[in-house]
């Protein structure tokens, strides 16, 4: 055995096939396949960008600019790649642009190949060809070129050409025709954000809203003690308590929908700085109409392309609405887990579904895990909004260069809020039960029922009854009679929880 730089090498005779058994013969048969696979892994083609030549993996549709970005931005690895919804949104936009460019004279054969390749991007068939991370140029130029290269090379392949030749379909001249990264990327941002909101966020919130509303109705007749400052307060029904959660989610959906009209405005047609250089009159409007048709959403061209490139207030607004939803869900989940605390040493007014063991050391312990997931998601969304706020505030002159950061966090918030709403609904809300016995016990023991006496004996005497009863460990009724403020009959007539649930 020989050693060189810490690596051991076997003499060549030891690597020869052994005649001693079938296992070794099998190894010999495997060797050509292993060699072929290694050869495939080491197979490259040469492509060029304006900085020179680069080796591009033979089995990838992307080109030199994508490779150069992977070399320059080794930040975060695969977990930090550009979100797939952005890639699919680019597919939609590039398809729409090809259709419109054909109307303006682009060779139908080239346009058709681009459309077919873009459809494969939309369908997710080419996801493995988009390796770039979010942390790149702030305009998203590298991702735009990644998309252009993939669509170009796939279109070339469809037409029987050679990958990397840029012939007959050029990534810039054809796929990127009448576009710039500066308007293409924000267009994809808006398409992706609106699509995620409609496909994930709003359906999730609607599901949660409906489940909470059903519980509010189910609990409508259950009278319980209210709490303010986490201390005992006057009664309300459990249904009324849940009705607040219903309204919060309803308003959350309304806030999201109210932000969407600005998200529906597309930057396409603004090109580099918003002037529309190298486009044709009507291109912007036609592309927006095509995107609307492809998505089923009411996209329109942005009325001012300078604003659409230089600022991303629409996505900051959407993120702000999602931040408000996160605040709502944090409150709702916390209330439910505290009301369900126990089972014997907490409030215990709610019985929450038991989904999994809660402790590695305490046998039988079950935790409010769905509530905890909601609160963690809420915290993440709040953090996402901080990043979006910083990014949105840093548009300088004619271009905001925090675009990838902004859309990464907006999409993450939409996905998390939508998914956690479904999980919380299915695994917690629909299975919540009211612990009637515990609710009744806590309500009867509450000192704040004394509030019903205010109109009859005044605040000061009512306060004296409450404080004395608390000090002596006696009931309100016993104390009121002992102090001589009212009779037993008067107490029973005036202190009725069911009469304390609304105005007279």
């Amino acid at each position: 055995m020989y050693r060189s730089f810490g690596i051991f090498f076997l003499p060549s005779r030891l690597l020869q096939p052994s005649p001693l058994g079938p296992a070794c013969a099998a190894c010999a048969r495997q060797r050509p396949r292993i060699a072929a696979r290694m050869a495939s892994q080491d197979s490259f083609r040469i492509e060029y960008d304006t900085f020179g030549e680069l080796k591009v993996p033979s089995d990838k549709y992307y080109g030199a600019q994508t490779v150069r970005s992977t070399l320059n931005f080794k930040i975060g690895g695969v977990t930090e790649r550009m979100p797939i919804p952005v890639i699919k949104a680019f597919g939609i936009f590039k398809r729409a642009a090809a259709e419109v460019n054909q109307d303006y004279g682009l060779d139908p054969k080239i346009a058709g190949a681009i459309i077919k390749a873009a459809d494969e991007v939309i369908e997710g068939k080419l996801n493995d060809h988009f390796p770039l991370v979010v942390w790149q140029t702030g305009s998203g130029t590298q991702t735009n070129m990644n998309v252009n290269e993939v669509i170009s090379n796939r279109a070339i392949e469809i037409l029987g050409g050679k990958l990397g030749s840029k012939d007959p379909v050029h990534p810039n001249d054809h796929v990127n025709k009448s576009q710039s990264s500066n308007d293409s990327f924000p267009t994809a941002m808006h398409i992706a954000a609106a699509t995620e909101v409609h496909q994930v966020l709003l359906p999730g919130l609607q599901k949660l809203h409906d489940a909470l509303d059903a519980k509010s109705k189910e609990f409508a007749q259950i009278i319980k003690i209210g709490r303010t400052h986490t201390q005992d307060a006057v009664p309300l029904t459990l249904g009324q308590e849940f009705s607040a959660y219903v309204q919060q989610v309803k308003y959350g959906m309304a806030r999201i929908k109210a932000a969407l009209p600005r998200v529906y405005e597309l930057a396409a047609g603004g090109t580099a700085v918003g002037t529309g250089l190298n486009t044709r009159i009507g291109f912007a409007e036609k592309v927006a109409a095509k995107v609307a048709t492809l998505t089923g959403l009411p996209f329109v061209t942005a009325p001012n392309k300078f604003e659409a490139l230089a600022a991303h207030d629409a996505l900051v607004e959407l993120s702000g609405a999602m931040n408000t939803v996160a605040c709502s869900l944090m409150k709702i989940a916390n209330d439910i887990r505290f009301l369900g605390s126990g089972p014997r040493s907490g409030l215990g007014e709610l019985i929450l579904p038991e989904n999994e063991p809660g402790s590695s050391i305490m046998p039988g312990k079950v935790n409010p895990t769905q509530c905890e997931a909601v609160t963690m998601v809420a915290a993440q969304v709040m953090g996402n909004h901080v990043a979006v706020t910083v990014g949105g505030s840093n548009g300088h002159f004619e271009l905001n260069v925090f675009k990838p950061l902004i859309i990464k966090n907006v999409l993450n918030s939409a996905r998390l809020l939508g998914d956690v709403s479904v999980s919380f609904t299915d695994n917690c809300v629909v299975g919540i039960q009211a612990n009637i016995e515990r609710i009744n016990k806590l309500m009867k023991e509450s000192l704040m029922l004394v509030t019903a006496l205010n109109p009859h004996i005044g605040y000061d005497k009512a306060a004296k009854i409450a404080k004395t009863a608390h000090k002596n460990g006696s009931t309100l009724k016993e104390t009121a009679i002992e102090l001589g403020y009212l009779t037993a009959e008067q107490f029973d007539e005036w202190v009725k929880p069911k009469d304390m649930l609304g105005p007279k």
Side-chain angles (χ1 to χ4, degrees), residues 57 92 112 203 288 324 344 366 445 494:
I92 292 169
T324 304
R344 296 189 175 180
V366 180
E445 292 176 353
W494 295 335

Side-chain angles (χ1 to χ4, degrees), residues 447-448 450-454 457-471 476 479 483 485:
L447 300 174
M448 289 304 100
V450 77
T451 306
L453 297 176
N454 285 357
I457 63 174
Y459 180 92
D460 291 337
K461 288 183 178 180
K464 178 72 172 178
I465 292 172
K467 288 182 174 295
T468 303
H470 183 54
K471 179 180 179 182
L476 291 174
T479 305
L483 291 173
Y485 290 158

